[in-house]
Amino acid sequence: MLESISALALVILVFAVIMLYLMVKTVPQGEEWTVERFGRYTRTLKPGLRFLIPLMDKIGAKINMMETVLDIQSQEVITKDNAMVMADAVAFYQVVDASQAAYEVRDLERALTNLAMTNIRAVIGSMDLDESLSNRDHINARLLTVIDEASHNWGVKVTRVEIKDLAPPEDINEAMARQMKAERMKRADILQAEGQKQASILEAEGLREAQIREAEGRREAAFLDAEAREREAQAEAKATQMVSEAIAAGDIQAINYFVAQKYTEALKDIAGSPNSKTIMMPLEASGLLGSIAGITDIAKAVGKSTE
């Protein structure tokens, strides 16, 4: 009798442990579990200690609610201008509704991968090669919009889609390298031409400035020369006036002054002639000296008169 009671108690204890195990669940942080009652979805368990009705409720799916990285394998894509490129990408998504992710799609990651690969072919196929290589941000934005809209019913939020690599064939790479080299040489030639243009402009401006300064120097020199001639003329006029006054006063030395002056100028012209080699002519030195003495006497007379 005691043995049967002990066996019954042991069975009850085991049953109670099993029931407790089936009833109490601990959901870890970052996950949500769906609950099914007789095979039908009823509710979602949030992180923490949760309770079920044993034998009626069971855990349907354990969904990771954290943001997940999805690698999209490389594939060949034909562009609008019939160029073949290898494209691969990476996507980031997060489940926002555990029930939809569990019951609206089978194998969520596979579905997202195929959806992304299909849209990569569609987006890049609608663009030229040069456009696709230079507009990755535009491609990423279009892929994000399309994939996020398509996966909305799956309870998923696609946060980012990035093209990792676009690799054209080797012959296209070589052609692009030659094109880039030609473009750089063109820019170098343009910069060199611009530099020569600037140098020519600066040289012309320098020449213009030099010519202006030279003209100003000539003008200044002409002004000073004219001023010197004016002063010389004033001195000559004053000398002529003094001699005229001396002649009017009956001084014979004034006449000798004019004769000596003209005589000296004539000798200067003869000596400065390029055709003259040797000059032989009578020269009365005493007459010339007398004329110079007469000039001295006139100067003294004028000096006394001014005193």
Side-chain angles (χ1 to χ4, degrees), residues 203-222:
E203 183 178 359
E205 290 180 352
L207 180 61
R208 175 175 173 270
E209 185 68 20
Q211 291 176 349
I212 291 174
R213 292 183 180 274
E214 183 180 358
E216 290 179 352
R218 290 197 304 267
R219 184 182 66 178
E220 187 69 20

Side-chain angles (χ1 to χ4, degrees), residues 25-183:
K25 299 295 180 180
T26 302
V27 181
Q29 183 67 37
E31 292 186 2
E32 290 185 3
W33 294 357
T34 61
V35 177
E36 298 176 357
R37 180 171 296 173
F38 301 117
R40 182 175 180 276
Y41 167 77
T42 57
R43 58 195 175 96
T44 301
L45 300 180
K46 302 295 181 179
L49 184 63
R50 302 295 179 225
F51 299 95
L52 301 178
I53 300 176
L55 303 178
M56 296 178 62
D57 295 340
K58 71 173 184 176
I59 300 299
K62 298 178 180 180
I63 305 299
N64 187 348
M65 304 300 291
M66 294 182 290
E67 189 170 6
T68 306
V69 181
L70 179 65
D71 284 324
I72 302 170
Q73 63 185 2
S74 179
Q75 61 177 330
E76 292 184 347
V77 181
I78 300 177
T79 62
K80 186 177 180 181
D81 52 355
N82 296 324
M84 184 76 68
V85 295
M86 296 296 296
D88 59 352
V90 60
F92 299 84
Y93 71 93
Q94 184 176 12
V95 176
V96 294
D97 191 321
S99 61
Q100 288 184 326
Y103 301 109
E104 295 294 336
V105 61
R106 183 185 296 273
D107 196 347
L108 178 62
E109 287 194 0
R110 182 183 175 188
L112 288 175
T113 300
N114 284 277
L115 180 63
M117 293 178 66
T118 303
N119 283 279
I120 288 174
R121 289 195 296 268
V123 172
I124 297 179
S126 64
M127 304 170 69
D128 295 332
L129 177 62
D130 293 339
E131 185 181 2
S132 62
L133 293 177
S134 59
N135 292 282
R136 290 197 180 189
D137 292 339
H138 179 63
I139 296 175
N140 295 336
R142 288 183 60 183
L143 287 174
L144 176 62
T145 302
V146 173
I147 297 174
D148 185 52
E149 289 180 356
S151 60
H152 178 71
N153 293 331
W154 300 342
V156 173
K157 174 64 178 177
V158 180
T159 58
R160 180 176 296 182
V161 178
E162 296 286 345
I163 295 293
K164 291 196 297 184
D165 189 24
L166 286 175
E170 189 64 27
D171 56 342
I172 296 180
N173 284 332
E174 293 178 357
M176 292 173 62
R178 291 194 299 269
Q179 181 182 0
M180 184 181 301
K181 182 178 179 181
E183 186 68 23

